Amino acid sequence: MRIVLLESLGISDGVIAKHAQKLENMGHSFTAYEKNTDPAVQVERCRNADAVMLANMPLSEAVIDKAEHLKFIDVAFTGVDHIPMEAARKKGIAVSNASGYATQAVAELCVSFMIQLLRNVNKTEKRCRTGGTKDGLIGNLLCGKTVGIVGAGAIGKRTAALCKAFGCTVLAYNRSKITDASVVDRQVSLEELLSSADIVSLHCPLTAETKGMIGKEQLALMKKTAFLINTARGGVVDQDALAAALSDGQIAGAALDVFDKEPPLPEDHPLLHAPNTIVTPHIGFASVESLEQRADIVFENLYSWLEGRQLNAV
């Protein structure tokens, strides 16, 4: 089998070399490339590939069309909205992901965002660096707050559990019934969650149903003192509506690790200039421990597929 890795997995060259050697000893070829989003380059690199590995780089649909031998796409990421899934299904190409590798990392970042927003860390740090004080910026505790979790999958549940440890009341909105009642106090409608929560944290995948699910009407339901946190997918939120809600003081603030496009963002992106906003360039999954676990999962996916068993099938 001809196996192609289209971008770095964030692990050492030594680890990649060990896997390459193992695959070659098994009779397969392995080629690793630097990231390139040019469809023509992707097509050329994948033209003869039987299996393609990548992380969160968008994969051109032209690859699916032109790679006549392609049978497996191994995604070193949880979400697959950057993969042309319908085209892959039509050609019978198997797709696996690395579900679970970033659960703790993203949940910890969410709680960090909550505390930073509540304690005015961004504003007080700027004050401190310019000779100022905390006057007028006394914050609030996370303990005792009502946190609304939108999407109670693995990351949503882990975030809920951490919030419970801080003494929060946790509400959750989820399409299916939540069976683990230990981390959620009540499962409610999206409307009730938005109107009741002090902090709304998004943990749903980007699908046709969730695209733009948090828009002008939904933001209008939130308390003026409430915060919105998005570590899920940027497309779940109407970016312009959120920027307007922040500028108008309709909600108190937001923390965003994802946007409608993958960073780097253009300088005029509306959310880069919205008040009371923390922005990070998609760091939720990016811890040393998570990237090591991700590599373990994605190569295990590959070895299992080569043996005729598909793990983590999407």
Side-chain angles (χ1 to χ4, degrees):
M1 292 287 182
R2 289 157 293 193
I3 300 148
V4 172
L5 173 62
L6 288 177
E7 62 178 317
S8 170
L9 297 180
I11 55 176
S12 71
D13 291 341
V15 173
I16 292 293
K18 287 181 180 178
H19 284 293
Q21 188 61 59
K22 178 177 178 178
L23 288 164
E24 289 174 9
N25 292 342
M26 295 168 65
H28 309 296
S29 69
F30 179 83
T31 307
Y33 292 105
E34 292 296 319
K35 179 177 179 178
N36 193 312
T37 58
D38 185 337
V41 173
Q42 290 185 4
V43 166
E44 188 58 34
R45 290 175 174 180
C46 299
R47 186 176 300 279
N48 296 313
D50 295 286
V52 167
M53 304 172 72
L54 75 164
N56 65 331
M57 175 180 70
L59 183 67
S60 170
E61 188 167 342
V63 170
I64 307 295
D65 183 50
K66 301 293 186 181
E68 296 181 359
H69 304 284
L70 186 59
K71 306 174 189 69
F72 183 49
I73 301 173
D74 196 3
V75 184
F77 216 63
T78 301
V80 292
D81 49 281
H82 59 301
I83 306 296
M85 290 296 295
E86 187 58 34
R89 289 190 189 99
K90 286 180 179 178
K91 294 192 71 172
I93 298 169
V95 180
S96 290
N97 69 356
S99 179
Y101 80 95
T103 297
Q104 184 69 20
V106 176
E108 287 188 12
L109 183 65
C110 286
V111 173
S112 165
F113 280 158
M114 293 176 193
I115 293 172
Q116 289 181 69
L117 288 167
L118 286 164
R119 299 297 295 272
N120 295 311
V121 170
N122 196 8
K123 293 179 181 178
T124 52
E125 186 202 20
K126 290 178 181 177
R127 287 264 191 99
C128 193
R129 291 182 183 278
T130 55
T133 71
K134 63 183 179 301
D135 292 352
L137 291 175
I138 302 299
N140 295 278
L141 296 179
L142 178 56
C143 180
K145 297 299 180 291
T146 297
V147 176
I149 301 291
V150 179
I155 296 175
K157 286 180 180 177
R158 186 59 188 150
T159 304
L162 294 179
C163 290
K164 292 288 286 182
F166 273 90
C168 299
T169 298
V170 177
L171 307 179
Y173 167 72
N174 201 57
R175 289 186 302 173
S176 57
K177 182 174 176 57
I178 302 169
T179 56
D180 187 358
S182 64
V183 297
V184 173
D185 292 290
R186 283 194 300 128
Q187 184 171 353
V188 297
S189 67
L190 180 60
E191 291 74 18
E192 182 176 350
L193 183 148
L194 293 170
S195 61
S196 302
D198 299 302
I199 302 166
V200 175
S201 191
L202 305 179
H203 300 282
C204 47
L206 179 60
T207 65
E209 291 74 25
T210 63
K211 184 175 175 60
M213 72 181 294
I214 304 298
K216 182 178 180 179
E217 293 181 6
Q218 290 73 31
L219 291 164
L221 295 174
M222 294 176 62
K223 300 175 181 179
K224 285 194 172 184
T225 54
F227 300 106
L228 178 71
I229 295 173
N230 189 9
T231 57
R233 288 290 184 271
V236 173
V237 179
D238 182 325
Q239 311 280 283
D240 292 327
L242 177 57
L246 289 162
S247 297
D248 296 342
Q250 194 169 28
I251 63 174
L256 309 164
D257 188 44
V258 289
F259 303 87
D260 52 358
K261 59 190 71 179
E262 191 70 11
L265 301 175
E267 291 184 3
D268 61 350
H269 193 287
L271 289 171
L272 295 183
H273 306 284
N276 303 325
T277 306
I278 298 170
V279 293
T280 52
H282 205 172
I283 66 170
F285 67 95
S287 70
V288 171
E289 296 87 349
S290 298
L291 293 179
E292 289 175 350
Q293 184 179 1
R294 179 177 77 168
D296 289 342
I297 293 171
V298 77
F299 275 104
E300 183 58 32
N301 285 348
L302 177 63
Y303 295 132
S304 295
W305 177 78
L306 290 170
E307 295 171 355
R309 298 179 297 111
Q310 187 183 0
L311 300 178
N312 297 308
V314 179

